[in-house]
Amino acid sequence: MTDQIIYHIAPRWKRTRYCGELRPSDGGERVVLAGWVKKVREFGDLTFLDLWDRSGLVQAVVDAKRPGLMELFRSLRAEDVVAVAGTVVRRPAEMVNPQMATGEVEIAVEEAEVFNRSKTPPFNVSDKAKAGDDLRLRYRYLDLRRDSMQRNIRLRHDLAMNVRRFLAGDGFLEIETPMLVRRTPEGARDYLVPSRLQPGRFYALPQSPQLYKQILMVSGFDRYFQLARCLRDEDLRADRQPEHTQIDIEMSFVDEEDVFAVVERMMAGIFGELAGVRLDAPFRRIDYDEAMARYGTDKPDLRFGLEIVDVSDLFASSGFNVFREAVRTGGVVRGIVLEEGLSFSKSRIRKFEELVRRQGAGGLATVSAGPDGIDSSIAKFLSPEETGTLAERFGVGPARPGLVMLVGGPADTTAAALGALRSALGAEYRLQDAADAFSFVWINRFPLLLPAEGGGWEPAHHIFSIPLEEDLPLLDGDPGRVRGHLYDLVCNGVELGSGSIRVHHRALQEKLFALIGLDRETAEHRFGFLLEAFEHGAPPHGGIALGVDRIAMILGGESSIRDFIAFPKTQKATSLMEGAPSTVERSLLDDLHIRVIERSDGE
């Protein structure tokens, strides 16, 4: 005789309350709860069951007067799915658990029902679990049951709802744009979708709704937003995924300050409601050149100082040939000072020298100043007066000891090296001021164009951004010096969003296309619909795209956006849970007119 399997197609009773919402005021209420078993414990004539759902945890109890129920409780294991019916009672004073929201009550169980039994999980489903990322992603449905992941996903939901309420209340219309679009290269690789009905032709999945939102402005909608899904086939890292969500905003008849004002009010509402902090607006504004000179990055963490100081003038005629030559050839000498650095050993300094070398710098020079006087790794090349002036420029000496770390070379290389050094020191010494948990800054006036590999120019952000009015004459003779109405919103060293005031004239857009090597025929082929729209009454417009995943990460105090995405990809853009990407049937490939070329290893 085979074992009989009982399937509970539907519960005998309907759930009446969530586990985590019960309080002493609910005492005496008869409830039906349903959820997952977290733990079963026996204590004399009592058996306790910790029952969990998305609202939290509650303790259920059965005594020896109900032997059948007690036996059922004892058979339960973690992650079994059950329902219990009983009465809410207050716990005895000595059994109150102040660590639980429901710690003052428990459920005196009268009936129970098992919906499904769980296999032994591959890891302990708790925040204390020591499971690797691959295992967590392979069993994502278990990982998502952990308290921290439940909080993160709820936080993301609250963020999205806050955004929608604010923007709708501010006169914006939520308008969806297509997911199957024409390929219009925007920097990263596109994901392509073959067309069955148009053999040999492909859609692209949108990297952003950039062109559509500009078309919406031409269409007269004036204030648009969308929580847009964006897909980019690019290398991944902690704050990047192949598919992400952005708060996409576009407005007509605006300048930068109008965009800033909307975003600042929106962020103040988000962080006030979800983090309980007050953001002071307007946020700081720092132009790109200043950010690179003072912080070595266009994404500065302003929760701590360690500002970069330029001392190029002190080395223009010094005896230290390396720095003197750097200045003579148009480079710079810059440095930062760290009080704690005075105790650095030589091996520790070598560690930081390796860090700046990885950024392309030639090395790291040091000057230490303290109660015992001033010493330097390049002392033999400098006069005592030069060393003293250098220490004075950085404000170090017997009264304020510190270690000055200097880098010389091209300005961009020096910025990258000192920016990396500053970030490493800030993290290692926890220099972030806890009282200023969220430090926002606008970085604007970026270069419009950057030198491209192999010569020519490429857009710093994208080619639809308008130049600063005063820089328009430079487009013909010195495009590398042209700045754009480009801006990024940065918080705690993380770029949360990027935007610009857009081009709205065909002639200017074609001129910019030509600067990046797109001839008229190619520009017409790729962007003809946009250029044509500009000839039918396009208003001045601009906007921004803010990363939902990154904002949630900052709000949640984490370092990876993966913890705020229900089903993220690995660094190889695979989904371990369902095994995507996968092969497909030959018949489907035939329908799509696609032939897969098999490659041998090493190709």
Side-chain angles (χ1 to χ4, degrees):
M1 179 178 176
T2 59
D3 293 337
Q4 183 181 10
I5 301 176
I6 299 175
Y7 296 98
H8 289 287
I9 304 301
R12 287 182 290 133
W13 345 277
K14 293 290 186 181
R15 177 173 61 179
T16 62
R17 299 290 295 272
Y18 279 94
C19 297
E21 67 184 20
L22 298 175
R23 298 293 186 271
S25 59
D26 300 309
E29 181 181 341
R30 192 178 190 282
V31 297
V32 177
L33 309 177
W36 287 263
V37 173
K38 282 302 174 188
K39 187 186 296 182
V40 176
R41 306 182 308 281
E42 294 187 58
F43 188 76
D45 290 338
L46 301 174
T47 300
F48 296 97
L49 164 67
D50 288 346
L51 189 66
W52 170 91
D53 63 22
R54 77 178 202 187
S55 67
L57 191 75
V58 71
Q59 178 174 280
V61 60
V62 66
D63 58 27
K65 295 176 183 177
R66 300 179 186 274
L69 269 180
M70 185 173 278
E71 189 61 31
L72 176 63
F73 271 33
R74 288 171 177 168
S75 74
L76 296 174
R77 297 292 181 266
E79 309 311 321
D80 287 349
V81 185
V82 302
V84 299
T87 303
V88 180
V89 297
R90 292 187 71 112
R91 292 195 197 185
E94 67 275 11
M95 296 184 66
V96 168
N97 184 349
Q99 305 303 317
M100 291 173 58
T102 60
E104 295 180 83
V105 298
E106 61 190 12
I107 311 303
V109 179
E110 300 159 13
E111 297 180 84
E113 183 175 3
V114 179
F115 295 137
N116 213 333
R117 301 273 186 176
S118 172
K119 293 169 61 176
T120 301
F123 55 86
N124 182 22
V125 184
S126 78
D127 286 338
K128 297 179 180 178
K130 295 181 179 178
D133 286 347
D134 284 357
L135 192 62
R136 288 177 54 196
L137 292 176
R138 167 67 179 82
Y139 297 93
R140 189 62 167 179
Y141 43 85
L142 296 177
D143 189 48
L144 285 170
R145 292 181 196 168
R146 296 189 302 118
D147 290 345
S148 60
M149 292 302 302
Q150 290 278 317
R151 285 194 302 270
N152 290 350
I153 299 302
R154 282 198 299 269
L155 175 64
R156 184 192 171 102
H157 162 78
D158 291 341
L159 166 61
M161 294 303 293
N162 191 295
V163 167
R164 281 194 161 99
R165 285 194 300 269
F166 171 82
L167 290 175
D170 211 48
F172 287 81
L173 299 179
E174 183 171 12
I175 305 174
E176 291 182 347
T177 53
M179 291 297 292
L180 296 174
V181 304
R182 178 186 179 89
R183 181 174 180 269
T184 53
E186 294 185 36
R189 295 185 185 90
D190 288 310
Y191 282 105
L192 299 179
V193 180
S195 169
R196 179 181 61 84
L197 299 177
Q198 304 288 330
R201 295 176 181 265
F202 295 82
Y203 301 102
L205 299 179
Q207 294 187 30
S208 79
Q210 178 62 46
L211 302 187
Y212 288 101
K213 62 186 178 184
Q214 290 192 251
I215 293 291
L216 286 171
M217 296 302 101
V218 180
S219 303
F221 283 103
D222 185 64
R223 290 165 85 83
Y224 140 94
F225 87 96
Q226 179 183 189
L227 297 189
R229 298 290 287 162
C230 303
L231 301 103
R232 299 175 185 177
D233 186 6
E234 57 187 352
D235 296 333
L236 308 184
R237 58 185 186 226
D239 63 347
R240 183 178 288 172
Q241 280 278 302
E243 47 188 331
H244 66 278
T245 305
Q246 65 187 34
I247 305 164
D248 208 46
I249 297 173
E250 198 78 5
M251 298 178 278
S252 294
F253 309 108
V254 294
D255 59 20
E256 287 186 27
E257 289 298 326
D258 295 313
V259 178
F260 292 175
V262 168
V263 173
E264 287 168 357
R265 286 189 289 111
M266 181 176 71
M267 299 304 281
I270 290 169
F271 280 76
E273 181 176 328
L274 304 184
V277 299
R278 181 179 179 275
L279 299 183
D280 292 326
F283 300 158
R284 287 183 63 181
R285 281 99 159 115
I286 301 177
D287 70 42
Y288 171 83
D289 289 337
E290 181 184 355
M292 297 302 292
R294 292 173 62 184
Y295 305 104
T297 176
D298 57 5
K299 295 178 278 292
D301 189 340
L302 301 185
R303 291 173 296 173
F304 60 94
L306 286 190
E307 290 192 17
I308 298 168
V309 177
D310 192 312
V311 289
S312 304
D313 58 308
L314 301 184
F315 287 93
S317 58
S318 79
F320 186 42
N321 292 338
V322 173
F323 283 178
R324 186 180 70 240
E325 187 63 15
V327 176
R328 187 191 69 80
T329 54
V332 296
V333 179
R334 293 172 178 164
I336 57 178
V337 60
L338 180 71
E339 182 176 342
E340 294 86 347
L342 203 60
S343 62
F344 282 176
S345 64
K346 289 183 179 180
S347 62
R348 194 159 185 72
I349 292 175
R350 281 197 296 271
K351 168 189 164 185
F352 291 118
E353 184 169 18
E354 291 168 6
L355 172 65
V356 300
R357 285 185 186 277
R358 288 197 295 271
Q359 302 298 320
L364 185 69
T366 60
V367 177
S368 61
D372 298 329
I374 299 175
D375 192 17
S376 173
S377 62
I378 55 174
K380 64 181 179 180
F381 302 107
L382 305 176
S383 68
E385 291 77 17
E386 289 175 319
T387 306
T389 302
L390 185 63
E392 183 180 341
R393 182 72 65 87
F394 282 92
V396 294
R400 189 206 168 202
L403 179 72
V404 176
M405 290 167 274
L406 298 165
V407 174
D412 55 350
T413 302
T414 302
L418 289 173
L421 179 60
R422 178 180 180 272
S423 295
L425 293 171
E428 183 168 342
Y429 288 92
R430 304 183 67 85
L431 300 178
Q432 299 89 342
D433 182 1
D436 191 14
F438 304 108
S439 183
F440 284 86
V441 59
W442 289 104
I443 308 298
N444 63 353
R445 297 183 171 231
F446 282 79
L448 188 70
L449 303 166
L450 296 174
E453 290 186 21
W457 302 98
E458 64 183 12
H461 281 181
H462 59 62
I463 200 59
F464 309 106
S465 303
I466 201 165
L468 296 185
E469 290 79 355
E470 61 264 37
D471 290 353
L472 281 171
L474 298 172
L475 284 173
D476 293 320
D478 197 357
R481 289 178 54 205
V482 176
R483 296 161 298 167
H485 282 289
L486 299 159
Y487 37 84
D488 285 355
L489 180 62
V490 175
C491 179
N492 297 357
V494 176
E495 177 195 318
L496 297 185
S498 182
S500 68
I501 303 301
R502 324 298 187 188
V503 176
H504 60 282
H505 290 288
R506 177 169 186 144
L508 179 56
Q509 188 64 76
E510 288 182 329
K511 188 181 190 73
L512 296 179
F513 283 153
L515 282 172
I516 63 171
L518 289 183
D519 57 38
R520 285 200 170 194
E521 183 179 353
T522 304
E524 183 66 33
H525 174 70
R526 292 183 180 178
F527 305 106
F529 66 98
L530 179 68
L531 295 172
E532 185 177 55
F534 285 170
E535 295 181 299
H536 288 81
H541 59 279
I544 192 168
L546 299 148
V548 171
D549 317 290
R550 293 186 184 182
I551 296 172
M553 178 183 74
I554 291 291
L555 279 168
E558 301 287 351
S559 58
S560 172
I561 63 172
R562 280 205 319 204
D563 290 331
F564 297 86
I565 299 173
F567 301 104
K569 303 292 191 292
T570 68
Q571 287 194 327
K572 293 185 177 180
T574 61
S575 180
L576 299 179
M577 186 182 71
E578 76 273 26
S582 65
T583 58
V584 298
E585 305 91 312
R586 178 60 183 267
S587 58
L588 178 57
L589 295 177
D590 289 342
D591 286 345
L592 296 172
H593 308 279
I594 291 177
R595 181 165 63 92
V596 175
I597 301 174
E598 299 291 341
R599 292 194 173 195
S600 59
D601 291 342
E603 286 191 86

